[in-house]
Amino acid sequence: EGDILFSIAGALGRTALVSNEILPANTNQALAIIRLKKDAAIEKPYLILALTTGFTAEQIEKHQGGVAQLNLSLGQMKTFEIPLPPIPEQQRIVAILDQAFADIEKARANAEQNLKNARELFDSYLQQIFSQRGEGWVEYDLTDIVNLKSGNTVKKRLEKESGDVAYIKVSGMNLLGNELEITTSNKFLNHSDINPNSVLPIGTTIFPKRGGAIATNKKRITAIPLCIDLNTMGVIPMQEVVLPQFIYFYFKTFNLLSIANGTTIPQINNYSFDGLKISIPNIEQQQTSIMLMTKIQTTTSELRVLYEAKLAALEELKNTLLKKAFSGQLTNGKGIAA
């Protein structure tokens, strides 16, 4: 109990204090065990903070080796240097940082809860829309009003940095600008190299259909014609019955894993949608619902960006405080706004 663990293989520099809650315990060669000498002029809380600073990170980067996996030797660690003020100053620094980090953690928890609340509000509204059974609403089997289309394997040599048709893989859903709808790609194909029937029209809802990516529950609506790879599926609505965005928001109401088949490797196939029902109003009512759902989705997205930026700023503030603490610039200040 009280040993400091410091990662010297893989994720270098991770630091933890051993508590009696995990004892007895052992470790492998990926962790260095740090114990203070009896006459050491350093307090353990101060040392732990010092090991997590950018100052220590710079020394790790200087000495690290390895190709497949980064590593440090104990001999290299022994060359590390840290600023060492007198014990009273160490205690003052630790006290200030403890309070500041507590304030930061409170602010982080509030931001994360606000983000969660915004998402839940959007999800709740979608469920409310699609649980309606108002006058003029008609229930359909989903497969009667949409066409399901899986992507195709494309030879690597056909993938281009520019071309006639965007080519989207699951990873392409994460590109900047594709958070809600697909507007861009970093892969392209030429019309001359593909079957025209493989091009999905604007207004297709796409999502992962194989493996762990299904659990990410990503759904995007296409704003450009595109092709998709074999691990992606598209849903093309029959627009005389249902509008593309109405289908897109319908897909936002359920978890893709709930319709996946398979145990070792989850998979979504055309038959995964057998039995799924959807109630829809007339086109005019769909347009009204789409306007409302789009407005709430936009607001939720803006809040997500705002809170994620705040979380990033809090992490940067924490790093700044650590840097100041170990360069002699830390002074008593006001707490962090929650």
Side-chain angles (χ1 to χ4, degrees), residues 55-264:
F55 184 82
T56 301
E58 290 174 4
Q59 296 180 83
I60 291 173
E61 187 172 355
K62 176 182 176 182
H63 293 290
Q64 68 188 17
V67 180
Q69 177 173 269
L70 298 177
N71 59 76
L72 287 168
S73 69
L74 294 181
Q76 290 168 330
M77 277 194 66
K78 289 178 180 179
T79 68
F80 285 10
E81 297 180 345
I82 59 172
L84 191 61
I87 293 290
E89 178 64 8
Q90 293 178 39
Q91 294 170 338
R92 186 186 76 87
I93 289 172
V94 169
I96 293 174
L97 289 180
D98 281 350
Q99 181 59 56
F101 289 173
D103 291 343
I104 288 173
E105 189 54 40
K106 181 179 178 182
R108 179 192 303 281
N110 288 341
E112 289 176 343
Q113 184 60 50
N114 289 337
L115 180 56
K116 182 173 180 286
N117 290 343
R119 288 170 176 159
E120 289 178 350
L121 176 64
F122 177 56
D123 292 342
S124 174
Y125 185 74
L126 289 185
Q127 294 292 343
Q128 180 183 340
I129 288 288
F130 287 97
S131 64
Q132 292 186 46
R133 296 293 185 273
E135 184 179 351
W137 287 61
V138 179
E139 184 176 79
Y140 292 91
D141 288 327
L142 179 66
T143 51
D144 286 342
I145 59 171
V146 302
N147 291 311
L148 303 170
K149 200 173 185 69
S150 293
N152 301 298
T153 300
V154 173
K155 293 179 180 179
K156 192 70 178 177
R157 62 181 176 81
L158 299 180
E159 297 181 20
K160 313 289 184 183
E161 293 184 1
S162 62
D164 305 323
V165 182
Y167 181 49
I168 289 290
K169 302 180 181 182
V170 172
S171 60
M173 297 182 190
N174 297 325
L175 293 175
L176 184 65
N178 286 354
E179 294 86 357
L180 301 177
E181 58 181 13
I182 302 297
T183 62
T184 187
S185 179
N186 56 6
K187 302 288 183 183
F188 292 87
L189 304 171
N190 289 324
H191 271 299
S192 58
D193 295 327
I194 59 175
N195 184 332
N197 291 331
S198 65
V199 179
L200 303 181
I202 293 173
T204 302
T205 294
I206 65 172
F207 49 85
K209 62 161 288 186
R210 180 177 170 81
I214 294 175
T216 65
N217 216 29
K218 295 186 183 77
K219 297 109 177 183
R220 304 287 190 269
I221 189 168
T222 62
I224 54 175
L226 51 78
C227 290
I228 54 178
D229 77 334
L230 193 61
N231 295 317
T232 313
M233 179 176 276
V235 179
I236 306 170
M238 299 177 184
Q239 296 195 33
E240 65 273 16
V241 180
V242 61
L243 297 176
Q245 284 189 305
F246 198 82
I247 286 294
Y248 163 69
F249 283 120
Y250 167 75
F251 267 79
K252 299 280 281 185
T253 66
F254 65 86
N255 192 321
L256 291 174
L257 281 176
S258 67
I259 60 170
N261 312 108
T263 52
T264 307

